[in-house]
């Protein structure tokens, strides 16, 4: 959409500057005001003055209020989350005003509390001339008159009728016959035989027009987001450029912007297994690519994703990159580091699987993406950034990451506010990455090990829970304790270096108790498996056996009627998949390989389709189509995306290939709805153990050790733990 951009090039002065308007239509206009902040502010108020009454103002990043009876005076007041502004910041506000008729108001704006004795200020855009710079004259970007491109296909032509022709004005009724799925977001290309001065449409907003104003692009507004199959009528009131003239001949095409014909594709099942593991690995890697934040690479394979959050950082520290956590856009480093460590563990242990699936190079790229970001976060020996974004603000919005306007604060731990578990989890990811890249990229591998050692020292020297230090994380990824991560990170450093001090530290925090269930906050079973792998001492094997006695049928973990080990309703498949991965890793260490592999296979096959449906987007029979995930649910540009799309009962526009949804309830029940975040959200940590387990099963096929090849492929699994 057209918008005005004003940039401050001078210090905040004591006078107001006119804000030009670059887009207007019958009943509305748009503008964007930016201030360069030269004084610390804990809140802010912008005063706007119009030469024409403005009935309402739409603005997301401020509270708008009329302060005069004639509605020519308005204030914009900061929200709680964007109230603080620092010297050097740019405060930018997008607004859309509404009034009577087609008008381009003269706007002046002042910022309350600016320097110069509390005077107000508006400063200028990057000026076109030196004279404009020195005089403080606002300069506007040129009006963009070329209509935005619209995807081909999904178009419905209109039949038209005209009425109420008078003084160059006329009413045009467009009737569209909609077939196929419910339209979820739409645009109309409107063409007339004569230039049109302006348009008024209740259900849509004019977005652009060509140079001679004979072709306009309209985009739906919140008055009409969806259109069900059948007849849909749109009334357009138009005014010609040339005054008293007869009505023009007009035509229109409505395009459904809630359709994306891009699919995930499908790899051939070269192993001829019951489920196509190659295809699952390919698609799970695509899921992580869809979660990428920052500047996307040239080989980006997700056509509906673009660059986003390019300003993530803190006081000059670059924190761009990494993965968005789940269906939202916060970067929570604790589960991100866990996911990276688990995925890299799978790359190390089951490299043959990725090679057989043709995914090895993509997998290296996949884990390097978060590793690069986590390296940025470790800015010094005792400082680690652990979160970017505010969960409360983020979860209160719905849209595309490319369109984000909310503040994205960064949070860190240090010697005074420690976080042993997130530091150790990050160290584990670095140590695993060091091993994975040792031959492929020795210098990168050495860098990862250096950072792993530094973080390990920080974690053992300054012990404490990160969620006690970073309250912004506590409501989302609160840490139960730090002992399991202190052991886990130390074991990975020992695995990478064989230095005794790391093993000694790990043993201080080791717990042999049966594990409740592996997750981003629980790596007890991982410690038990790694200790047996690294030492071959019988007591660690005994601990692993104790854990799986609780998880196998007959143990304390309940099962659904169709055979899923059911630990918790929220992300039920996550826990079962993580424990399946742990069982496969234990089998690799020689612990009851036949039984553990058979049980693990049945848990993963439940997710892939054994119940009659797949729980992986874009894979198998009857997969999810409406995961709780913002960006994939949004229609194509230029349609605006907002909270309304969360509540629609239509499938997501874009296919979130490879995403494992949360999973069923205790009775195998499942509802595929965006609103069902308990069972239908996706997350980076959901896919991590799952993907590694799938890689384990594919590796077994390569080595002819898979239950299908050994006559033990019956599911559900009913045997007791050995």
């Amino acid at each position: 959409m057209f918008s005005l951009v004003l940039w401050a090039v001078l210090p905040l002065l004591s006078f107001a500057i006119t804000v030009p308007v670059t887009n207007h239509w019958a009943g509305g206009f748009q503008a964007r005001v930016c201030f360069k902040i030269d004084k610390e502010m804990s809140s802010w108020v912008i005063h706007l003055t119009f030469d024409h009454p403005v009935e309402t103002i739409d603005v997301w990043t401020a509270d708008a209020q009329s302060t005069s009876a004639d509605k020519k005076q308005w204030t914009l007041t900061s929200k709680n989350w964007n109230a603080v502004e620092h010297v050097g910041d740019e405060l930018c506000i997008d607004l859309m005003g509404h009034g009577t008729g087609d008008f381009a108001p003269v706007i002046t704006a002042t910022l309350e509390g600016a320097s110069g004795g509390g005077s107000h200020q508006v400063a200028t855009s990057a000026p076109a001339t030196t004279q404009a710079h020195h005089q403080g004259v606002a300069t506007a970007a040129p009006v963009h008159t070329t209509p935005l491109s619209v995807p081909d296909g999904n178009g419905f032509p209109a039949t038209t009728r005209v009425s109420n022709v008078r003084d160059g004005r006329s009413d045009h009724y467009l009737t569209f016959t909609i077939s196929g799925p419910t339209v979820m977001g739409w645009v109309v290309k409107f063409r007339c035989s004569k230039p049109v001065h302006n348009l008024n449409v209740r259900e849509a907003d004019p977005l652009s027009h060509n140079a001679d104003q004979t072709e306009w692009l309209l985009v739906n507004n919140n008055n009409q987001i969806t259109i069900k199959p059948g007849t849909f009528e749109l009334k357009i009131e138009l005014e010609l450029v040339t005054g008293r003239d007869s009505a023009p001949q007009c035509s229109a095409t409505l395009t459904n912007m809630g359709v994306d014909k891009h699919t995930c594709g499908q790899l051939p099942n070269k192993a001829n297994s019951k489920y196509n593991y190659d295809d699952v690995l390919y698609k799970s890697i695509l899921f992580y690519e869809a979660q990428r934040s920052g500047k996307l690479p040239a080989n980006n394979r997700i056509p509906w994703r673009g660059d986003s959050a390019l300003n993530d950082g803190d006081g000059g520290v670059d924190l761009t990159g990494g993965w968005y956590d789940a269906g939202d856009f916060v970067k929570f480093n604790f589960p991100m580091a866990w996911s990276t460590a688990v995925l890299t563990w799978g790359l190390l242990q089951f490299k043959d699987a990725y090679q057989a699936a043709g995914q090895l190079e993509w997998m290296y790229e996949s884990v390097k993406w978060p590793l690069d970001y986590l390296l940025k976060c470790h800015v010094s020996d005792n400082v680690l950034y652990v979160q970017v974004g505010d969960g409360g603000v983020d979860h209160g919005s719905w849209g595309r990451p490319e369109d984000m306007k909310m503040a994205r604060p960064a949070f860190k731990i240090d010697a005074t506010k420690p976080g042993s578990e997130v530091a150790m989890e990050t160290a584990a990811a670095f140590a695993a990455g060091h091993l994975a890249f040792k031959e492929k990229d020795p210098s990168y591998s050495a860098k990862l090990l250096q950072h792993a050692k530094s973080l390990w020292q920080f974690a053992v020297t300054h012990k404490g829970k990160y969620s006690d230090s970073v309250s912004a994380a506590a409501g989302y990824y609160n840490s139960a304790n730090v002992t399991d991560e202190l052991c886990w990170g130390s074991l990975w450093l020992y695995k990478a270096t064989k230095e005794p001090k790391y093993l000694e530290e790990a043993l201080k925090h080791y717990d042999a108790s049966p594990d409740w269930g592996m997750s981003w906050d629980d790596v007890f079973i991982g410690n038990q498996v790694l200790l047996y792998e690294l030492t071959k001492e019988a007591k660690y094997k005994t601990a692993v056996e104790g854990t799986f006695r609780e998880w196998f049928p007959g143990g304390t973990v309940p099962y659904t009627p169709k055979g899923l080990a059911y630990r918790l309703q929220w992300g039920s498949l996550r826990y079962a998949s993580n424990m399946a991965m742990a069982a496969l890793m234990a089998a690799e260490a020689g612990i009851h390989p036949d039984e553990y592999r058979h049980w693990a296979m049945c848990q993963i096959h439940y997710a892939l389709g054994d119940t009659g449906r797949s729980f992986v987007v874009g894979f198998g029979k009857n997969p999810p189509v409406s995961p709780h995930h913002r960006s994939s649910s949004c229609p194509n540009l230029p349609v605006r995306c907002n909270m309304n799309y969360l509540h629609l009962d239509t499938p997501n526009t874009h296919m979130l290939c490879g995403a494992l949804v949360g999973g069923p309830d205790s009775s195998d029940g499942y509802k595929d709805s965006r609103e069902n975040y308990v069972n239908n959200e996706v997350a980076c940590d959901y896919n991590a153990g799952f993907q590694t387990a799938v890689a384990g099963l594919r590796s077994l096929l390569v080595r002819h050790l898979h239950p299908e090849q050994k006559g033990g492929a019956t599911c559900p699994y009913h045997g007791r733990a050995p």
Side-chain angles (χ1 to χ4, degrees):
M1 97 180 25
F2 300 121
S3 61
L4 168 71
V5 182
L6 299 179
W7 297 96
V9 296
L10 298 173
L12 297 182
L13 306 175
S14 57
F15 54 86
I17 292 177
T18 300
V19 178
V21 173
T22 58
N23 190 33
H24 63 93
W25 56 90
F29 63 90
Q30 291 172 286
R32 189 181 198 216
V33 184
C34 289
F35 301 90
K36 187 76 173 181
I37 304 300
D38 71 350
K39 178 180 179 180
E40 295 294 309
M41 293 184 173
S42 58
S43 63
W44 48 265
V45 177
I46 296 170
H47 296 268
L48 300 175
T49 301
F50 301 88
D51 71 336
H52 189 287
V54 176
E55 294 301 320
T56 60
I57 290 179
D58 295 334
V59 55
W60 186 79
T61 52
D63 294 320
Q65 182 176 2
S66 174
T67 57
S68 65
D70 61 3
K71 294 214 170 180
K72 294 183 179 181
Q73 304 287 331
W74 285 76
T75 61
L76 305 178
T77 306
S78 56
K79 300 278 192 180
N80 290 335
W81 54 267
N82 66 356
V84 176
E85 295 291 337
H86 301 293
V87 174
D89 287 350
E90 290 166 349
L91 171 62
C92 294
I93 306 296
D94 291 286
L95 62 91
M96 181 183 294
H98 304 278
T100 303
D102 184 2
F103 64 101
V106 176
I107 312 172
T108 58
T110 58
L111 175 63
E112 194 173 291
S115 61
S119 59
H120 308 313
Q121 158 66 16
V122 168
T124 67
S125 172
T129 67
T130 303
Q131 182 180 12
H133 176 95
H134 289 295
Q135 293 180 352
V137 177
T139 60
V143 176
H144 184 18
T145 58
T146 302
L148 298 173
S149 62
V150 175
D152 293 331
N154 314 318
F156 304 99
T159 59
T160 63
R161 62 184 177 89
V162 182
S163 69
N164 202 17
V165 180
R166 74 284 182 199
D167 299 328
R169 300 173 183 267
S170 53
D171 296 341
H172 293 248
Y173 293 86
L174 312 178
T175 302
F176 302 93
T177 301
I178 307 299
S179 60
T182 296
V183 172
M184 187 174 78
W186 48 274
V187 296
V188 168
K189 279 188 175 181
F190 185 63
R191 305 173 187 85
C192 291
S193 59
K194 300 175 182 179
V196 174
H197 176 54
N198 59 69
L199 304 170
N200 184 34
V201 191
R202 191 188 75 86
E203 299 87 352
D205 298 323
L207 189 63
S208 63
H209 59 73
N210 63 357
D212 66 4
Q213 296 180 254
T214 58
E215 181 176 315
W216 291 68
L217 185 67
L218 314 178
V219 62
N220 72 271
N221 55 35
N222 288 338
N223 291 325
Q224 186 81 45
I225 292 174
T226 62
I227 307 173
K228 294 187 179 297
T231 300
F232 172 63
E233 186 173 78
L234 199 65
K235 177 185 176 183
I236 297 182
E237 301 171 354
L238 65 81
E239 179 183 359
L240 294 176
V241 171
T242 55
R244 299 176 183 276
D245 204 342
S246 58
Q249 293 183 339
C250 299
S251 63
T253 302
L254 183 148
T255 300
N256 181 2
M257 303 303 288
V259 173
D260 182 356
K261 295 183 178 179
H262 176 79
T263 65
C264 304
Q266 182 175 331
L267 296 187
N269 187 0
K270 292 182 292 186
N272 294 314
S273 51
K274 178 179 181 181
Y275 293 108
N276 187 346
Y277 301 137
D278 292 0
D279 199 43
V280 180
L281 293 175
Y282 154 67
K283 288 171 179 172
S284 185
I285 292 171
L286 284 179
F287 163 68
Y288 285 106
E289 292 179 16
Q291 295 299 100
R292 284 175 171 174
S293 178
K295 179 71 175 177
L296 298 185
N299 63 352
N300 171 46
R301 297 188 289 176
I302 313 300
W304 45 272
R305 282 299 325 280
D307 299 342
S308 62
L310 297 180
N311 293 320
D312 279 0
D314 184 39
V317 177
D318 176 14
L319 298 175
T320 58
W323 289 326
Y324 295 123
D325 177 60
D328 53 19
F329 306 133
V330 183
K331 295 190 294 197
F332 290 107
N333 287 23
F334 191 20
M336 191 192 307
W338 179 89
S339 301
T340 305
V342 165
L343 287 164
T344 309
W345 192 12
L347 175 56
L348 288 167
Q349 190 71 55
F350 305 122
K351 186 176 179 179
D352 56 352
Y354 289 104
Q355 200 152 21
Q359 301 302 304
L360 185 59
E361 291 305 314
W362 290 110
M363 185 56 183
Y364 275 116
E365 286 192 32
S366 182
V367 296
K368 190 174 185 296
W369 188 269
L371 286 171
D372 286 348
Y373 163 74
L374 294 170
L375 285 171
K376 291 181 180 181
C377 292
H378 188 214
V379 295
S380 63
D381 285 341
N382 292 340
V383 178
L384 177 69
Y385 282 89
V386 298
Q387 181 176 327
V388 179
D390 183 297
V393 173
D394 186 278
H395 290 187
S397 66
W398 195 270
R400 307 176 185 92
E402 296 82 3
D403 298 337
M404 281 191 294
K405 298 293 192 300
M406 78 279 282
R408 288 177 61 79
F411 304 91
K412 62 187 176 183
I413 57 173
D414 55 31
T416 60
K417 293 185 176 180
S420 300
E421 70 284 77
V422 67
M424 274 297 194
E425 195 64 73
T426 308
F430 287 158
H434 158 72
L435 292 170
F437 285 91
K438 199 168 187 177
E439 296 180 2
K440 185 176 181 62
D441 189 341
S443 62
Y444 185 66
S445 172
K447 183 179 182 180
L448 290 170
L449 183 59
Q450 175 191 350
H451 281 266
K453 289 179 175 180
S454 173
L455 276 174
W456 179 88
Q457 190 63 56
F458 170 50
V460 298
T461 304
H462 305 285
K463 291 186 174 70
K465 286 172 55 176
Y466 97 108
S467 50
D468 290 341
S469 299
V470 181
S471 59
Y476 303 92
Y477 288 97
N478 187 52
S479 174
N481 55 60
V482 301
T483 55
D484 55 326
E485 286 86 12
L486 284 166
C487 181
W488 170 256
S490 297
L491 287 173
W492 274 104
L493 264 297
Y494 180 66
K495 187 177 174 73
T497 68
K498 295 300 185 288
E499 293 181 30
K501 69 175 183 179
Y502 296 120
L503 181 59
E504 292 169 6
E505 184 66 28
L507 294 177
K508 294 177 185 177
H509 309 286
Y510 170 66
D511 190 334
S513 304
D515 191 3
W516 183 88
M518 193 174 188
S519 72
W520 53 267
D521 191 36
D522 182 339
V523 288
F524 290 101
I525 181 60
N527 294 335
Q528 293 167 2
V529 171
L530 279 177
L531 273 167
Y532 182 66
E533 174 200 318
L534 293 168
T535 70
K536 293 302 180 182
E537 292 187 27
K539 60 184 177 181
Y540 303 123
K541 176 183 178 182
T542 300
V544 172
E545 291 171 330
T547 290
F548 283 107
R549 271 195 295 272
E550 302 301 318
W551 275 85
F552 269 53
T556 58
V557 177
Y559 276 67
T560 69
K562 294 182 180 180
L564 182 70
Y566 189 83
R567 173 49 86 190
L568 196 68
Q569 183 177 10
W570 198 302
S572 57
L573 287 173
R574 172 248 312 264
Y575 291 105
S577 297
N578 291 347
M579 294 305 292
M581 175 202 69
L584 290 170
M585 291 296 186
E588 292 299 312
I591 304 176
H592 307 296
D594 289 343
E595 294 87 349
Y596 282 13
R597 287 166 176 165
H598 188 174
W599 178 82
M601 181 199 71
C602 289
Q603 296 303 303
I604 297 301
H605 282 194
Y606 183 105
L608 296 180
D610 271 6
T611 68
R613 71 163 308 141
S614 165
F615 290 93
V616 179
V617 177
F619 175 83
K621 181 180 179 181
N622 191 25
V625 296
S626 301
H628 181 88
H629 186 266
R630 285 161 173 75
S631 55
S632 66
S633 76
C634 291
N636 292 291
L637 288 168
V639 176
R640 297 176 288 271
C641 188
N642 52 38
M643 194 64 77
N644 290 304
Y645 291 91
L646 165 63
H647 304 297
L648 298 178
D649 60 0
T650 51
N652 288 19
T653 295
H654 310 289
M655 194 174 290
L656 189 65
C657 303
L660 177 74
V661 298
D665 60 25
S666 59
S667 301
D668 299 301
Y670 166 74
K671 182 179 181 181
D672 183 11
S673 165
R674 273 190 297 281
E675 294 183 314
N676 180 16
Y677 51 84
V678 174
N679 304 103
N680 217 34
E681 188 161 18
V682 299
C684 289
D685 74 285
Y686 285 16
N687 265 68
F690 168 74
Q691 180 181 315
T692 297
V694 172
L697 294 172
R698 181 63 175 99
S699 175
L700 293 178
L701 287 172
V702 173
R703 293 176 286 150
H704 302 283
L705 297 172
H706 193 281
E708 291 178 4
Q709 297 165 322
K710 300 187 71 174
T714 303
C715 293
Y717 186 89
H718 295 296
R720 297 299 178 96

